Amino acid sequence: MTDVLSIDLHTHILPPEWPDMKGRCGYGGWVSLEHVGTGCGRLAIDGTHFRDVCSRCWDPARRLADCDEHGVAMQVLSTVPVMFSYWAQPRDSLDLARHLNDHIAETVRDHPGRFEGLATVPLQDPELAVGELERSMGELGLRGVQIGSHVNDWNLDAPELLPFFEAAERLGAAVFVHPWEMMGRGEMPKFWLPWLVGMPAETARAACSLVFGGVLERLPRLRVALAHGGGSFPFTIGRIEHGHRVRPDLCATVIERPPSAYLDRLYVDSLVHDAKALRYLVDLLGAERVALGSDYPFPLGEHVPGSLVRSMEELSDAEKARILSGTAREFLALDAAAASAGESPSIAGAKESPR
Ligand code: CO
């Protein structure tokens, strides 16, 4: 296929350092980053090791070197979900979110055309979350927000969260839903099951809540994308549809149309690691709903972003181009932003793809 400069919708970034939240707030539970040598870091929660990370997490130059090697024109930056901190006092979560969002905005500003950013917000307090979303979309120039698949005891259809989704629609903020705090993790500590089983289930939980809870119905212009190809949601849509039909007393409490009627309201990323699964996603949703996402720089991600899409002979060049960049442009409203700024909608500053 011809060269397509890709946009990677699903990448995570951390600042090289952030405030000592325990010292600042007087209670624990916060994530800290300890630098343990050149290019290495250790994430810990209250001193307990969580994950080793490398400088790709925080060094834009190293990220861009990888992008140039892999033909990625632009990364969309979002925080690492463990940083959501929805469990904390809302003002303290806001404090951390502001720091993370300022860092993402600064990284975007310092490398024009190479990065766009998604904010994080203290969703446990929807009013504070709306305020930070407004700041992020206005002053900071971010393109939307990354949120968790649930917020403490709330699923995404919680009435408390509706003002937040209304604000996202009003502000034109793209909403990227990422699984976190995986259900059942306490019961399946072995075999990395929270990541391999829990994450896809979390994403289906989020999708079903948005569909059945009427959030997509009420907010026709809200743009939502699901990580990891939508998790188990696309593969179980037949079951979900059947359930809605046979037990309307249990399922159809808010919406009248079947769940499949909302499939064209959801975007997903391409991170499924399997050609047959990606083919199914394209059949189900259309290439116009699938956006390249790699989960850079983490090991469960696609190590050469876009390699699966590029390898699939059954996809046309137009479908590949759409997945590699067109869908993200639409989801993030990049062309509208460029037009309002009087710029060309092409990706500025990007180097030519090596392939
Ligand atoms: Co991710």
Side-chain angles (χ1 to χ4, degrees):
M1 69 180 290
T2 51
D3 284 357
V4 172
L5 293 172
S6 50
I7 300 176
D8 190 344
L9 181 63
H10 184 170
T11 82
H12 298 292
I13 192 167
L14 291 169
E17 53 197 25
W18 57 86
D20 167 19
M21 294 303 296
K22 186 175 181 179
R24 228 160 140 109
C25 309
Y27 57 90
W30 301 95
V31 181
S32 60
L33 172 62
E34 182 195 359
H35 291 272
V36 291
T38 317
C40 297
R42 198 163 285 166
L43 290 176
I45 301 173
D46 285 342
T48 302
H49 178 261
F50 173 71
R51 176 189 283 169
D52 287 332
V53 289
C54 71
S55 62
R56 290 181 167 91
C57 260
W58 60 80
D59 181 354
R62 193 158 177 204
R63 297 176 77 100
L64 289 178
D66 288 341
C67 285
D68 291 342
E69 188 184 337
H70 298 147
V72 175
M74 178 188 283
Q75 287 186 336
V76 181
L77 308 174
S78 54
T79 195
V80 181
V82 72
M83 303 296 283
F84 287 152
S85 307
Y86 297 151
W87 56 271
Q89 292 295 321
R91 292 259 161 216
D92 299 330
S93 292
L94 174 64
D95 188 20
L96 180 59
R98 287 178 66 97
H99 188 85
L100 299 171
N101 295 337
D102 287 349
H103 169 255
I104 288 177
E106 184 186 311
T107 308
V108 172
R109 267 197 308 272
D110 288 350
H111 305 86
R114 300 308 305 271
F115 297 118
E116 291 286 352
L118 299 175
T120 183
V121 296
L123 259 188
Q124 70 274 42
D125 185 322
E127 203 177 320
L128 288 185
V130 169
E132 181 58 7
L133 185 62
E134 287 172 342
R135 188 183 82 94
S136 298
M137 295 296 293
E139 192 183 315
L140 297 187
L142 304 185
R143 306 301 321 156
V145 61
Q146 176 189 230
I147 66 170
S149 43
H150 66 277
V151 181
N152 303 329
D153 292 336
W154 295 338
N155 282 319
L156 296 186
D157 64 312
E160 291 88 344
L161 291 173
L162 189 61
F164 168 77
F165 288 117
E166 286 171 342
E169 184 190 56
R170 172 171 51 82
L171 297 165
V175 178
F176 182 56
V177 180
H178 197 296
W180 88 303
E181 270 198 352
M182 281 69 83
M183 62 175 85
R185 67 192 186 284
E187 291 80 49
M188 48 184 193
K190 293 198 296 186
F191 313 130
W192 213 17
L193 294 190
W195 268 254
L196 302 182
V197 175
M199 277 194 161
E202 273 295 332
T203 310
R205 162 195 194 159
C208 285
S209 299
L210 291 170
V211 169
F212 282 130
V215 179
L216 299 179
E217 175 75 43
R218 294 175 72 146
L219 304 173
R221 290 177 296 114
L222 181 69
R223 302 192 306 277
V224 177
L226 307 168
H228 312 145
S232 52
F233 178 72
F235 192 73
T236 50
I237 186 65
R239 180 178 177 84
I240 294 162
E241 186 88 347
H242 184 70
H244 177 267
R245 193 162 49 238
V246 298
R247 290 303 302 267
D249 55 321
L250 300 179
C251 299
T253 55
V254 178
I255 54 167
E256 292 184 4
R257 295 193 297 158
S260 61
Y262 301 88
L263 284 175
D264 65 359
R265 294 292 317 282
L266 294 167
Y267 297 90
V268 298
D269 74 21
S270 61
L271 189 55
V272 292
H273 301 289
D274 182 275
K276 291 191 288 298
L278 188 55
R279 172 72 188 271
Y280 168 70
L281 273 185
V282 171
D283 285 348
L284 182 72
L285 302 171
E288 64 272 18
R289 290 276 145 189
V290 183
L292 172 66
S294 77
D295 226 345
Y296 180 97
F298 295 129
L300 201 43
E302 184 177 43
H303 296 175
V304 179
S307 53
L308 177 61
V309 173
R310 292 175 196 276
S311 75
M312 288 175 58
E313 290 175 6
E314 61 267 49
L315 295 178
S316 69
D317 281 359
E319 287 173 318
K320 289 180 183 178
R322 174 70 195 193
I323 296 169
L324 291 172
S325 69
T327 303
R329 299 193 72 82
E330 178 181 294
F331 174 62
L332 300 169
L334 291 185
D335 296 329
S340 69
E343 296 166 3
S344 151
S346 64
I347 299 167
K351 294 184 183 170
E352 281 303 306
S353 163
R355 55 180 63 76

